[in-house]
Amino acid sequence: MTHMAPSSAQRFPDGFVWGAATAAYQIEGAVDADGRTPSIWDAFCAIPGAVAGGDTGERAVEHYHRMPDDVDLIALLGLPAYRFSVSWTRVMGDGDAVNARGLDFYDRLVDALTARGIEPWLTLYHWDLPQALEAKGGWAERDTAHRLADLTEVVATRLGDRVRHWVTLNEPFCSSFIGYAGGEHAPGRREPKAAVAAAHHLLLAHGLSTRTLRSVAPGSRVGIALNPTTILPRDPGNDDDRAAAVLVDGLRNRMFLDPLLRGAYPADMLTHLEPFGLADVVDDGDLDVIAAPLDLLGINYYDESVVSGRGDGPAGSTEGDDGGPGRHVVGSPWVGAEDVRFHSRGLPATTQGWEIRPDGLRDLLVRLHADYPGLPPVYVTENGAAFDDVVTVDGIHDTDRLDYVRGHLRALAAAIDAGVDVRGYFAWSLLDNFEWAWGYAKRFGIVHVDFDTQERTIKDSGHWYATVAASNAIPADGG
Ligand code: PNW
């Protein structure tokens, strides 16, 4: 990099929250332990070609058995907050009955965190629907929303005395459109109408869970983690490209932001998704439930997208790659917009081909602040990058990941300067882990995991991030 480092440290506002994030299926392993039953990800991993390398979460990084050591690692990094998710099928088994041994694990985790002064941020749903519920139709069924509220009640009743920060859902765009239309994520269905129903039922589940949290764990702070991003037309002067960008922006961003923050689906999405039954699944009163006030908005940020209405790029993929990382053929998550093309800009990219433009984070946050008056306080609930690690005798010098995080933190500071109320940042991820359809081929950790020995080693990015958290600032020397 040739740009000059800022001459003085960039400080963040007092009380800014620094943390790292994980998700249950990506780290826990122990899929049969203590009464856990299969989720859609266990079932999806068994489909030949669904996940690169035939990888599964069966072992993952053994967090279920190494939890106390992993919590020590968070303490060693000096991070004041840790975002994790609860495995639905550990806590509720096949659906109705509470599985005490599974719930005990999260009780121990929360105790371990609070004993070390680490604030738990609990995500209720990070993609691991019980397979038993999928067998009944999954998120395409309205009843599933009520089942998540049941889980919320169980978890909040047990942990609500110690957990003050709750995230209902992680990235409902992915759980609905990628899981039910694109098929690149579990449950691997390619049914556009089911995906649209799933999107609404996920939002409803968020609203019902929020309501439950208000009554069971009063005083807690409740939010949702979305993954909005900027959708740019390849040629801003081309009508087709501009129209494609508006459409993709609708499906990825406004479909979720508008019901939550404005209490209504966007008019253009109601029209666009009319043939796919959106209006049919929305009952009277649903939007009031969905739009209940939030205490915080989680933003997971990785990259931007450039689209055109036609052309020579790969059709309908999520991130510009043609097809999934596994070998099976995946469809398009872009319901009714399957002809949209995604393009690269030739920028430096991560090993997933996700192009790096840190200022995109600032631009996104400034836009959200402008478009949604009354935007709740924002926390970046995920940000990070997949790069290959070179393990050397004197450490893991992941300069590329460190640069990525530093660039995005500078962009975050710029968003705050521009008036956006941003109050925290969680690095994705604490540990290298099971990266969904990419399996173990992509590493996001600020801590390296040897997938054979399970040994954990803090990377340079992790050491650097620890200094940021300790000083509440990006160091002046840039190093
Ligand atoms: C997010 N896409 O996943 C998830 O919240 C994490 O669990 C995941 O490990 C992380 O980001 C890195 O991928 C995404 O294709 C997966 O648009 C795919 C997409 C977006 C987010």
Side-chain angles (χ1 to χ4, degrees):
M1 292 243 158
T2 53
H3 64 253
M4 295 208 317
S7 54
S8 62
Q10 252 171 309
R11 292 196 57 79
F12 283 80
D14 289 345
F16 196 84
V17 175
W18 296 101
T22 62
Y25 190 72
Q26 295 182 271
I27 62 166
E28 288 180 357
V31 292
D32 298 321
D34 298 334
R36 183 188 178 278
T37 59
S39 77
I40 55 175
W41 272 93
D42 298 281
F44 186 69
C45 289
I47 300 171
V51 176
D55 293 344
T56 79
E58 225 175 306
R59 187 180 182 201
V61 293
E62 296 184 353
H63 173 72
Y64 191 73
H65 297 301
R66 296 169 182 270
M67 181 271 285
D69 291 343
D70 287 342
V71 174
D72 282 342
L73 206 49
I74 304 166
L76 191 63
L77 288 164
L79 301 181
Y82 174 57
R83 172 175 177 242
F84 63 95
S85 82
V86 162
S87 159
W88 189 335
T89 60
R90 269 192 212 293
V91 172
M92 301 283 283
D94 272 347
D96 297 333
V98 176
N99 176 37
R101 288 178 299 165
L103 189 51
D104 286 348
F105 171 73
Y106 297 104
D107 196 87
R108 294 195 300 277
L109 169 59
V110 167
D111 276 348
L113 291 167
T114 48
R116 290 163 182 79
I118 303 161
E119 186 78 32
W121 282 57
L122 190 153
T123 301
L124 285 156
Y125 185 72
H126 198 126
W127 304 358
D128 45 1
L129 183 72
Q131 180 59 26
L133 290 180
E134 177 56 31
K136 295 181 190 167
W139 285 110
E141 289 299 317
R142 187 178 176 89
D143 182 62
T144 303
H146 292 277
R147 301 286 77 78
L148 186 73
D150 293 345
L151 174 77
T152 302
E153 177 161 5
V154 168
V155 174
T157 300
R158 179 70 177 271
L159 305 179
D161 57 335
R162 286 154 288 158
V163 176
R164 290 174 46 245
H165 293 89
W166 299 80
V167 174
T168 55
L169 307 179
N170 184 72
E171 300 183 1
F173 167 79
C174 293
S175 320
S176 53
F177 289 109
I178 297 184
Y180 285 81
E184 186 180 326
H185 285 173
R189 285 163 63 177
R190 294 178 57 182
E191 303 166 36
K193 284 188 82 166
V196 170
H200 180 67
H201 296 144
L202 280 153
L203 285 167
L204 182 62
H206 157 79
L208 295 169
S209 291
T210 299
R211 180 184 278 181
T212 300
L213 287 164
R214 299 288 182 217
S215 71
V216 177
S220 51
R221 301 184 67 224
V222 179
I224 184 170
L226 302 179
N227 61 328
T229 193
T230 306
I231 314 294
L232 300 151
R234 183 172 60 167
D235 174 1
N238 179 297
D239 289 347
D240 288 344
D241 292 1
R242 279 206 316 275
V246 170
L247 202 49
V248 171
D249 178 64
L251 292 165
R252 166 110 179 216
N253 303 326
R254 293 178 287 110
M255 261 301 280
F256 300 93
L257 289 161
D258 280 29
L260 291 162
L261 301 176
R262 294 181 176 160
Y265 283 104
D268 64 334
M269 286 294 107
L270 283 168
T271 305
H272 178 71
L273 295 175
E274 205 271 330
F276 301 95
L278 176 57
D280 304 336
V281 293
V282 181
D283 282 2
D284 285 349
D286 283 3
L287 283 154
D288 294 335
V289 175
I290 292 167
L294 296 175
D295 305 307
L296 59 99
L297 178 65
I299 298 293
N300 296 352
Y301 185 81
Y302 294 94
D303 67 351
E304 302 170 302
S305 294
V306 178
V307 300
S308 68
R310 57 192 153 43
D312 51 8
S317 59
T318 52
E319 295 292 340
D321 50 348
D322 196 4
R327 291 181 315 265
H328 80 318
V329 176
V330 297
S332 171
W334 308 107
V335 172
E338 291 81 2
D339 57 343
V340 166
R341 301 292 194 273
F342 286 72
H343 303 273
S344 92
R345 284 176 281 182
L347 299 176
T350 72
T351 58
Q352 287 169 302
W354 298 4
E355 292 192 328
I356 305 166
R357 198 183 75 86
D359 286 347
L361 174 58
R362 176 202 60 203
D363 294 351
L364 173 73
L365 295 175
V366 167
R367 176 229 173 153
L368 295 178
H369 176 70
D371 283 4
Y372 297 92
L375 188 75
V378 169
Y379 293 80
V380 173
T381 34
E382 290 182 17
N383 176 242
F387 288 109
D388 296 331
D389 291 334
V390 179
V391 182
T392 73
V393 283
D394 65 345
I396 296 159
H397 307 308
D398 60 337
T399 314
D400 34 23
R401 187 175 291 101
L402 195 160
D403 283 345
Y404 179 99
V405 174
R406 180 171 45 211
H408 285 77
L409 289 179
R410 286 187 180 143
L412 198 57
I416 294 169
D417 281 346
V420 188
D421 183 7
V422 186
R423 301 198 187 172
Y425 176 94
F426 291 77
W428 183 272
S429 177
L430 175 68
L431 302 165
D432 290 334
N433 61 46
F434 175 77
E435 175 51 24
W436 306 115
W438 298 85
Y440 299 99
K442 302 298 170 191
R443 295 176 176 274
F444 272 93
I446 56 172
V447 175
H448 183 269
V449 178
D450 180 318
F451 293 129
D452 293 320
T453 64
Q454 295 294 333
E455 189 187 349
R456 275 85 161 131
T457 309
I458 299 175
K459 303 178 191 180
D460 284 359
S461 60
H463 288 298
W464 180 83
Y465 186 59
T467 66
V468 171
S471 59
N472 196 33
I474 305 169
D477 60 5

